[in-house]
Amino acid sequence: MVEAEKQERIVFSRPKALTDTTTHYCPGCIHGIVHRLIAEAIDELGIQDRTIGIAPVGCSVLAYHYFDVDFAEAAHGRAPAMATGLKRVQPDKIVFTYQGDGDLAAIGTNEIIHAVNRGENITTFFINNAIYGMTGGQMAPTTLPGQVTTSTPFGRDVRAAGYPLRVCELMATLAGAAYVVRRTAINPREIRRLKKAIITAFKVQMAGLGYSLVEVVSNCPTNWGMTPIESLEWIEKNMLPYYPLGDFKVAEGVENL
Amino acid sequence: MSSKILMKGNEAIAESAIRAGCQAYFGYPITPQTEVLEYMARRMPQLGRVFLQAESELAAINMLYGAACAGVRAMTSTSSPGFSLMQEGISYIACSMVPAVVVNVMRGGPGLGNIQPSQADYSQMTKGGGHGDYKVLTLAPSTIQELVDHVGLAFDLADEYRQVVFVIADGMLGQMMEPVELPEMRELRPPPAWALTGAKGRPKNIITSLYLNAPELERVNQELQAVYRRIEANEVRYDTYLLEDAEIAVVAYGTAARIARTAIRRAREAGIRVGLFRPITVYPFPYEALAEVAGRVQEMLVVEMSAGQMLEDVRMATCCRVPIRFFGKMGGVVPLPEDILVEIEALAQGKPALVAQEGA
Ligand SMILES: Cc1ncc(C[n+]2csc(CCOP(=O)(O)OP(=O)(O)O)c2C)c(N)n1
Ligand code: SF4
Ligand SMILES: [Mg+2]
């Protein structure tokens, strides 16, 4: 009896950096997983009391309710500019943006490119679900060729709508980028790898090495018209070939963190 | 007691902001405002403060928003086309109630227009400008000394009301030089309790302009409106010149008012009883004071470097109680004192007052 009590140990609980709130995310949506991993990373690094998050416009617009850290809500696409302002005046704080593909790769392309290029010590978590989730499933800059959305009802015709943007490949060309990687969250192994990347990204910022960006190839079962399981299979089959997982920029010094 | 030094308007804006405790400046080059940016680029790093040339005015205003969320005094400056780009961010800043200062050194428009002085952003600055029900306290200096004083005052008022405050200047004020007396360097103030500084030993702070629940957003709007009512009750500022015995009141602000003064002086020499009413805050507009003036003069002459934007406020203030003549120059053309004198003389000679638009 006494032995059993001694052995009792909490092995799973809500991270401190997450609030005790029900999220509004659809069942099976990867946004929730990424939130949890970021919160775990904040806990493990002990930075909850000096982290400031910036929510985008998109399905994760209410992220500030879910994280238990100081938070601002930016205009659509402007999170990296806002983060720049916040970070420049308090360089000792950890500042991260959380952005969707419409937010980061369409309306906010200018802000992200220049923030990365300046080598701001900021971390961005980029949720690429190849669609505008919040507004009901229109084409995103990352929508795949032929993919049907409400604004590409006959499938994305690249001759008319251009080609899906590969954000990591683009950002990796910028000198200010210190850590640019693409991960996903379609199975426990990938989730563990994603978590490691999130921790590394924060460490890059803490070490002042430059911009860190973690892209998460994500899903939107609701607007893709799939079950959560189907959406994970769809990621593997259709998205990963176009958006290969991997490390696109790992600047000097990052390996030793 | 500090002595006067000769300073260019744009540099005076920058130095005044620094002395008021501006800890972060974000901007983008645009004539006729660029010297503010260039001055800040030199001075801010020397003082260990933040200077950053943004990739656009969109980015600049959102950087300002971020710095303002961190609770420091921060500023951006621009000229008309850049100011248009900032409207999005200004609307967000207004709703989330963080203090910030924006200076617009206006130039000729619309479109790319030109780089000459203009007052054609009056409506955009005083009536909201961006989306939603908000207004911005707007100070209208007419000398470089006033520019210096207004920039300092703008930071204080921004803090007091937790709102963005504008200084409405123009290319003339930005580019000319005058002797000014600069204020003492002020201490930097610590960030307020609501600022995003990391939730250390306190619950987290959130700064947002999103309220999905309509009654909640209505409450936020009511809160904002209450702030504007307080501003309207406490912050109306105006100036008069030779108005006590005047039969004709010239109404003008900023550079136009300054030129009108010269014309008024000359008209007085010719025996015409004319004076100047100069709004110093253009929002809140001095409606009551001007209504009082309307009750005791025979005519009014509104002079603007625009097609007649403040004219609408003058009409509202005076409720047709007095005939109004309008003289406006557009597209970066600056009125000469002689032009205004001709208008004053026309009124004095009993020519019918009319709201005429001068086709410049
Ligand atoms: C200036 C502006 N334009 C458009 C919108 C409408 N809008 C809201 S969310 C969104 C797309 C978000 O898509 P994404 O960034 O991919 O995020 P997701 O919802 O997929 O997570 C758009 C276009 C807006 N809020 N503001
Ligand atoms: S709409 Fe799509 S992206 Fe948004 S919460 Fe639902 S599943 Fe997730
Ligand atoms: Mg998306």
Side-chain angles (χ1 to χ4, degrees):
Chain A
M1 186 70 194
V2 176
E3 276 300 288
E5 256 173 39
K6 261 190 197 156
Q7 279 166 9
E8 215 172 84
R9 197 156 61 84
I10 296 172
V11 292
F12 191 82
S13 68
R14 179 171 49 82
K16 277 198 317 178
L18 275 191
T19 56
D20 189 3
T21 315
T22 310
T23 76
H24 67 285
Y25 297 118
C26 306
C29 177
I30 285 176
H31 271 307
I33 297 173
V34 182
H35 278 30
R36 183 179 172 101
L37 297 180
I38 294 171
E40 286 178 357
I42 291 171
D43 281 7
E44 284 167 34
L45 294 166
I47 52 172
Q48 188 182 4
D49 61 1
R50 61 184 179 112
T51 296
I52 302 161
I54 303 186
V57 176
C59 274
S60 44
V61 68
L62 291 171
Y64 54 80
H65 282 320
Y66 309 140
F67 288 99
D68 197 4
V69 300
D70 274 7
F71 236 95
E73 205 294 300
H76 199 14
R78 318 287 175 234
M82 211 175 167
T84 298
L86 271 158
K87 179 77 181 186
R88 288 280 179 127
V89 299
Q90 29 184 13
D92 55 324
K93 303 288 152 57
I94 308 300
V95 176
F96 76 91
T97 73
Y98 186 103
Q99 301 177 257
D101 41 10
D103 194 83
L104 181 142
I107 197 165
T109 324
N110 210 30
E111 284 77 12
I112 187 68
I113 286 178
H114 287 279
V116 173
N117 194 48
R118 286 190 302 267
E120 300 289 346
N121 275 304
I122 293 169
T123 302
T124 289
F125 301 112
F126 167 46
I127 312 302
N128 175 8
N129 59 4
I131 205 151
Y132 282 15
M134 192 195 207
T135 40
Q138 298 78 25
M139 182 188 75
T142 45
T143 293
L144 294 179
Q147 187 182 336
V148 172
T149 70
T150 61
S151 58
T152 53
F154 312 110
R156 180 176 188 161
D157 176 358
V158 294
R159 286 168 310 171
Y163 295 84
L165 211 60
R166 292 187 178 98
V167 167
C168 283
E169 288 82 341
L170 195 64
M171 297 304 155
T173 65
L174 304 174
Y179 184 64
V180 178
V181 300
R182 186 181 287 126
R183 300 286 185 268
T184 188
I186 54 172
N187 58 45
R189 184 180 49 125
E190 294 303 335
I191 289 172
R192 272 196 300 276
R193 295 187 61 223
L194 171 57
K195 164 101 178 268
K196 265 183 81 177
I198 291 171
I199 289 179
T200 305
F202 276 133
K203 282 185 174 170
V204 165
Q205 179 175 170
M206 290 159 80
L209 296 178
Y211 214 100
S212 46
L213 184 147
V214 179
E215 172 174 343
V216 184
V217 181
S218 195
N219 65 347
C220 179
T222 301
N223 290 299
W224 289 0
M226 295 177 199
T227 66
I229 301 286
E230 284 166 355
S231 77
L232 300 182
E233 289 163 0
W234 198 83
I235 287 180
E236 189 160 23
K237 207 165 141 233
N238 298 289
M239 284 187 71
L240 295 187
Y242 195 94
Y243 299 112
L245 304 180
D247 299 355
F248 295 86
K249 177 95 179 260
V250 181
E252 217 176 303
V254 175
E255 302 275 16
N256 315 326
L257 290 173
Chain B
M1 187 59 207
S2 56
S3 54
K4 289 199 170 188
I5 56 164
L6 192 66
M7 256 191 140
K8 190 174 192 170
N10 281 336
E11 298 190 339
I13 292 170
E15 184 59 33
S16 177
I18 287 167
R19 292 182 183 221
C22 176
Q23 266 178 275
Y25 172 89
F26 308 95
Y28 188 84
I30 183 168
T31 313
Q33 162 278 159
T34 304
E35 294 85 356
V36 184
L37 174 107
E38 289 170 341
Y39 192 95
M40 287 299 202
R42 258 179 288 122
R43 283 280 281 149
M44 293 294 265
Q46 284 171 358
L47 296 165
R49 303 187 192 177
V50 174
F51 164 83
L52 186 54
Q53 180 170 332
E55 62 271 27
S56 69
E57 287 86 351
L58 262 176
I61 192 74
N62 284 286
M63 289 171 182
L64 175 67
Y65 188 11
C69 287
V72 303
R73 288 193 156 183
M75 180 176 95
T76 186
S77 59
T78 186
S79 179
S80 309
F83 189 72
S84 291
L85 275 185
M86 290 184 179
Q87 292 306 327
E88 179 198 63
I90 290 165
S91 170
Y92 279 71
I93 292 171
C95 186
S96 42
M97 300 193 75
V98 292
V101 173
V102 179
V103 180
N104 182 4
V105 183
M106 294 181 285
R107 62 187 239 179
L112 195 51
N114 59 27
I115 59 173
Q116 274 83 289
S118 165
Q119 295 183 320
D121 300 349
Y122 179 94
S123 299
Q124 199 184 13
M125 296 186 77
T126 60
K127 308 296 176 197
H131 60 285
D133 273 322
Y134 74 92
K135 290 214 171 190
V136 180
L137 204 165
T138 304
L139 297 164
S142 81
T143 63
I144 299 185
Q145 183 63 55
E146 225 179 6
L147 197 50
V148 166
D149 299 344
H150 283 183
V151 168
L153 177 63
F155 279 102
D156 292 340
L157 292 172
D159 276 355
E160 176 158 357
Y161 293 100
R162 281 185 63 177
Q163 281 293 308
V164 53
V165 172
F166 292 158
V167 176
I168 184 172
D170 62 64
M172 183 80 101
L173 280 168
Q175 293 298 319
M176 70 185 192
M177 292 182 92
E178 266 184 328
V180 289
E181 195 177 313
L182 292 166
E184 295 296 318
M185 188 71 104
R186 285 204 252 168
E187 298 258 320
L188 302 181
R189 62 143 175 70
W194 49 258
L196 305 184
T197 52
K200 197 180 192 115
R202 60 155 171 81
K204 69 169 173 174
N205 285 335
I206 294 173
I207 296 180
T208 183
S209 63
L210 176 77
Y211 300 90
L212 288 171
N213 178 285
E216 206 186 331
L217 183 54
E218 186 185 42
R219 183 190 53 72
V220 171
N221 268 279
Q222 283 162 345
E223 227 174 276
L224 280 175
Q225 292 302 318
V227 172
Y228 305 146
R229 293 304 88 76
R230 272 204 293 138
I231 288 173
E232 286 158 8
N234 302 327
E235 305 302 341
V236 172
R237 290 171 170 79
Y238 62 92
D239 185 26
T240 61
Y241 173 63
L242 304 178
L243 199 60
E244 298 76 42
D245 64 338
E247 289 168 348
I248 300 170
V250 178
V251 188
Y253 70 96
T255 290
R258 188 185 176 116
I259 300 165
R261 261 175 100 97
T262 309
I264 287 166
R265 223 171 16 244
R266 290 197 204 153
R268 281 273 172 182
E269 282 161 17
I272 302 173
R273 280 160 60 179
V274 56
L276 176 71
F277 183 91
R278 179 171 72 90
I280 291 176
T281 49
V282 280
Y283 173 75
F285 190 81
Y287 289 111
E288 280 173 31
L290 191 58
E292 187 272 316
V293 173
R296 61 187 168 88
V297 298
Q298 266 130 51
E299 283 145 325
M300 279 191 184
L301 172 67
V302 177
V303 180
E304 289 183 72
M305 283 142 63
S306 80
Q309 300 190 11
M310 183 184 68
L311 177 62
E312 294 177 12
D313 280 325
V314 176
R315 283 211 190 108
M316 261 211 287
T318 56
C319 296
C320 302
R321 262 185 290 161
V322 62
I324 299 170
R325 190 178 175 94
F326 176 71
F327 181 69
K329 286 287 191 184
M330 295 179 283
V333 177
V334 179
L336 296 171
E338 296 78 63
D339 298 334
I340 300 171
L341 187 58
V342 167
E343 298 297 315
I344 294 171
E345 283 167 352
L347 279 177
Q349 285 156 18
K351 298 239 176 84
L354 68 151
V355 175
Q357 239 113 287
E358 168 83 355

